[in-house]
Amino acid sequence: MAIKSKSQRAGVGIAIAIVLASCPAPAAAQTVQELQRQINELKAQIKALTDAQKAAVVPASPLPVAATPTPAPQVAASTPAPSPTPAPAQPQRVAAVAKPPSARAPWYERLRLRGYTQLRYNAILDDHEPLSDTGSRLRSVHDSSINDDGGFLLRRVRLVLQGDITDRLQLYFQHDFGAAVNNQSSTERRENFGQLRDVYVDWFLDPERRLRLRFGQSKVPFGWENLQSSSNRLPLDRSDAINSGVPGERDVGMNLYYTPDHVQAIWDRLTKNKQKLFGNYGAFGLAVYNGQGTNRTERNDSLMKVAMATWPFALDGLGPLFEGQVLELGGSAIFNRYRPELRSGISPVEYRDDRVGFHAILYPQPFGIQTEWTTGWGPQYDMALRSVRSQRLGGGYVQLMTDLGKTPIGRAIPYVRWQRYRGGWKANVDAPRLETDEWELGAEIQLVEALELTLAYARMERREADSRRTGRATGDLIRTQLQFTY
């Protein structure tokens, strides 16, 4: 066998020189065949060493074996040669649950910054003017750009800082730079002020992160649509009925969330299929909050109690028609005492604010339906008595949607929604009564991965959220929103 490497040639030459030098004078009488046999044995040992070095890339340690048992020169026999056959590599263990970055990692590997911005424009096609100066104008509690002047509006400008502080503690911090406030010297609005939305930590009580405690300002687990991020929702705004329980969706308090493995597996599958989930707030949740609403001072010594449960059912066993389909059912409840803001100041009276809600979602694969309804009691302005009192409320929505997948202009999800609500809007002065009937037909189009366009037509019949106005306004609108995420 030819020796190809320089190291092998040098090794053979050194070995031959040593053999010849170590032989006594009579060794000259040795035959050429004897010397050739010794050279061949040295070649075999060098080959074994070379093969063992090549096998050293395998993580398993090679097992040493005895030298070749044939006679050899003394210098070669003093160095045992490893086996040319490497030991098999040990199998590597793969964790069943991906672990978060270790707390020992640098902060920039444990925290990440992300966000999204929504730019809106509404065009009123037809607006029936009120019969008097006190009649309701066409307005929405969710979108201040629905008015006679219109214009562009930065509806949301969100930045989120999120990450693991330790292996069991996670931070979530969200700020919105699309909020508005009134000037100190007049009632004129000032747009695009920064406002705290979320700041909380999750303390995971188990390594699998199925059970968690949450402390800080966060979303109240009442209503499926309330918990769903506005960056992920199909319609431009939340429904009046569900959102009336927690306008702004947030409060300060603490939560307990639990998600069984079976439920998490279904949600993971839906996420992989790019379904619009409500966010992982647990299959079961219990919480207590101040009860006064987002960024508002607590006004009484009682706490708002909240409970929620939701459960997804995989429908694959019902036949080929339901292959991959998931139906999610659930409900939530609020028990609270609320002091609304009056034109004369904060109400000294606590009003009953108790509600229950139910939801059902058949995820669009490709066709889906989503509905929520609520009923209960809440503070509401009484025009006859000219004062606030607790009154019955109720309403909800039904939404149909279909996921068309990729189209020539991007992924498209058309939808149609009808909503109805009768009850108070406790976040506004005097907790005015709303009377809402609305149709919305639209489509969300994902132009590119980080750019979404929503186009919608809305037929609105609304009572304005102002206790000084009466009746309802009716109008037709074209609504648009461009959302970019980062």
Side-chain angles (χ1 to χ4, degrees):
M1 173 181 179
I3 300 175
K4 297 182 180 180
S5 67
K6 293 181 179 180
S7 61
Q8 290 175 339
R9 294 192 190 100
V12 172
I14 293 172
I16 294 173
I18 293 173
V19 169
L20 294 177
S22 62
C23 293
Q30 287 182 318
T31 65
V32 176
Q33 291 81 1
E34 180 66 17
L35 289 175
Q36 185 62 47
R37 181 184 63 79
Q38 294 178 359
I39 291 172
N40 292 339
E41 290 174 352
L42 286 173
K43 288 181 179 180
Q45 292 176 4
I46 292 172
K47 182 179 182 301
L49 285 171
T50 303
D51 293 340
Q53 289 175 353
K54 292 180 180 180
V57 296
V58 181
S61 300
L63 298 177
V65 298
T68 307
T70 55
Q74 185 176 358
V75 64
S78 62
T79 304
S83 171
T85 304
Q90 297 295 324
Q92 297 181 353
R93 294 174 177 253
V94 179
V97 179
K99 292 185 178 180
S102 172
R104 294 187 295 271
W107 65 268
Y108 50 82
E109 293 182 4
R110 292 182 279 121
L111 299 177
R112 61 191 181 101
L113 186 67
R114 60 182 177 85
Y116 67 96
T117 296
Q118 294 175 342
L119 176 65
R120 288 191 183 180
Y121 186 85
N122 296 291
I124 298 179
L125 303 177
D126 181 26
D127 181 13
H128 299 283
E129 295 292 333
L131 300 177
S132 67
D133 293 339
T134 60
S136 293
R137 302 162 297 179
L138 190 61
R139 299 290 187 271
S140 170
V141 292
H142 305 286
D143 191 338
S144 61
S145 66
I146 298 178
N147 55 54
D148 298 334
D149 300 323
F152 290 100
L153 172 70
L154 288 174
R155 178 63 181 88
R156 292 175 178 87
V157 184
R158 300 288 176 87
L159 277 178
V160 177
L161 180 67
Q162 182 180 11
D164 293 287
I165 303 174
T166 70
D167 293 345
R168 293 288 184 92
L169 202 65
Q170 186 179 79
L171 168 70
Y172 189 94
F173 182 94
Q174 180 175 211
H175 217 72
D176 185 12
F177 295 91
V181 298
N182 289 333
N183 192 2
Q184 296 295 321
S185 59
S186 71
T187 58
E188 184 181 358
R189 284 168 56 94
R190 293 290 190 269
E191 304 288 350
N192 306 325
F193 277 75
Q195 183 188 75
L196 178 67
R197 301 302 289 175
D198 301 273
V199 57
Y200 61 81
V201 292
D202 280 343
W203 177 25
F204 298 98
L205 304 181
D206 62 319
E208 293 76 19
R209 298 192 167 198
R210 297 293 181 249
L211 182 65
R212 72 182 73 179
L213 282 172
R214 177 169 295 176
F215 306 93
Q217 179 165 299
S218 64
K219 284 188 175 181
V220 176
F222 178 80
W224 194 92
E225 188 184 57
N226 277 354
L227 293 175
Q228 189 180 41
S229 171
S230 297
S231 64
N232 207 29
R233 188 180 60 249
L234 270 179
L236 295 181
D237 297 314
R238 294 181 172 91
S239 63
D240 291 3
I242 306 303
N243 198 236
S244 67
V246 194
E249 303 90 51
R250 296 161 174 86
D251 210 324
V252 179
M254 61 179 295
N255 313 60
L256 175 67
Y257 290 125
Y258 174 66
T259 308
D261 291 338
H262 171 70
V263 172
Q264 188 61 54
I266 296 178
W267 285 344
D268 289 344
R269 188 181 81 181
L270 292 172
T271 301
K272 184 178 180 180
N273 294 337
K274 297 183 179 181
Q275 294 296 317
K276 295 180 175 292
L277 276 69
F278 77 128
N280 191 347
Y281 288 86
F284 304 98
L286 295 173
V288 289
Y289 296 91
N290 283 341
Q292 285 298 120
T294 306
N295 299 328
R296 298 197 177 199
T297 305
E298 174 66 344
R299 297 294 182 180
N300 54 38
D301 59 357
S302 64
L303 295 175
M304 176 172 68
K305 280 78 68 178
V306 187
M308 182 201 71
T310 186
W311 196 270
F313 298 88
L315 305 182
D316 304 78
L318 299 181
L321 183 62
F322 296 93
E323 187 70 26
Q325 292 280 11
V326 175
L327 174 65
E328 187 165 334
L329 303 175
S332 49
I334 285 179
F335 303 96
N336 189 29
R337 294 296 178 266
Y338 189 82
R339 290 187 178 183
E341 181 182 357
L342 308 178
R343 299 196 182 276
S344 58
I346 301 299
S347 171
V349 179
E350 297 180 2
Y351 295 95
R352 180 183 177 186
D353 186 26
D354 302 334
R355 308 158 191 253
V356 295
F358 306 93
H359 62 260
I361 300 95
L362 180 66
Y363 289 91
Q365 302 185 92
F367 300 101
I369 183 171
Q370 177 178 321
T371 182
E372 290 189 78
W373 290 89
T374 184
T375 185
W377 294 80
Q380 181 181 151
Y381 188 77
D382 190 316
M383 293 290 292
L385 299 177
R386 296 191 178 278
S387 63
V388 178
R389 65 187 183 94
S390 288
Q391 300 184 61
R392 290 299 301 262
L393 56 85
Y397 69 91
V398 178
Q399 176 177 304
L400 303 176
M401 58 274 193
T402 180
D403 188 348
L404 299 180
K406 292 183 178 180
T407 69
I409 57 176
R411 182 190 179 196
I413 309 178
Y415 69 90
V416 59
R417 183 178 74 166
W418 169 75
Q419 65 160 314
R420 172 186 172 86
Y421 179 56
R422 300 291 187 274
W425 189 260
K426 65 182 183 181
N428 281 19
V429 175
D430 289 338
R433 175 179 172 84
L434 294 187
E435 296 178 4
T436 302
D437 290 285
E438 180 178 305
W439 284 92
E440 183 175 330
L441 174 65
E444 177 191 281
I445 305 169
Q446 190 177 56
L447 303 174
V448 293
E449 184 176 359
L451 191 65
E452 292 180 357
L453 175 65
T454 300
L455 301 173
Y457 160 79
R459 172 70 175 179
M460 294 185 175
E461 294 183 23
R462 288 179 170 273
R463 182 167 183 166
E464 189 175 351
D466 190 329
S467 61
R468 299 165 298 183
R469 296 188 174 272
T470 60
R472 292 202 295 175
T474 303
D476 301 290
L477 292 86
I478 293 295
R479 310 188 66 195
T480 64
Q481 175 178 283
L482 187 68
Q483 172 180 292
F484 46 96
T485 58
Y486 36 85

